[in-house]
Amino acid sequence: GRDRHCHDWLLSNDGKTFTRLVPTLVAKKTVKNLPRGKYAYFMHQLITESREQGMSQIIRILVV
């Protein structure tokens, strides 16, 4: 489409210290080699052509 945007992703193993992942042009991100049975914490931000949209709340996912 005409809209230019990217999705900025951050990952944490403890929910406190986040590392920036490679941004994507779609609202999906695959992260490999996460430890099974542990939680992975993510934050996401949409960045449009005009401005950053603000970080999401922390998303906690149990890796199975």
Side-chain angles (χ1 to χ4, degrees):
R2 294 183 321 196
D3 295 329
R4 293 192 313 191
H5 61 273
C6 78
H7 296 267
D8 201 12
W9 302 93
L10 290 95
L11 168 66
S12 172
N13 292 324
D14 61 9
K16 298 175 186 173
T17 305
F18 285 83
T19 302
R20 186 170 185 243
L21 303 174
V22 176
T24 63
L25 297 177
V26 296
K28 294 181 182 180
K29 183 69 178 177
T30 300
V31 180
K32 296 181 180 182
N33 300 320
L34 294 172
R36 290 181 181 219
K38 304 279 184 175
Y39 285 102
Y41 300 86
F42 295 90
M43 288 196 300
H44 168 264
Q45 175 173 226
L46 176 65
I47 302 173
T48 64
E49 188 173 7
S50 60
R51 67 184 177 92
E52 297 176 353
Q53 302 296 314
M55 278 292 169
S56 69
Q57 294 180 338
I58 295 173
I59 303 160
R60 183 177 80 161
I61 298 172
L62 180 61
V63 180
V64 292

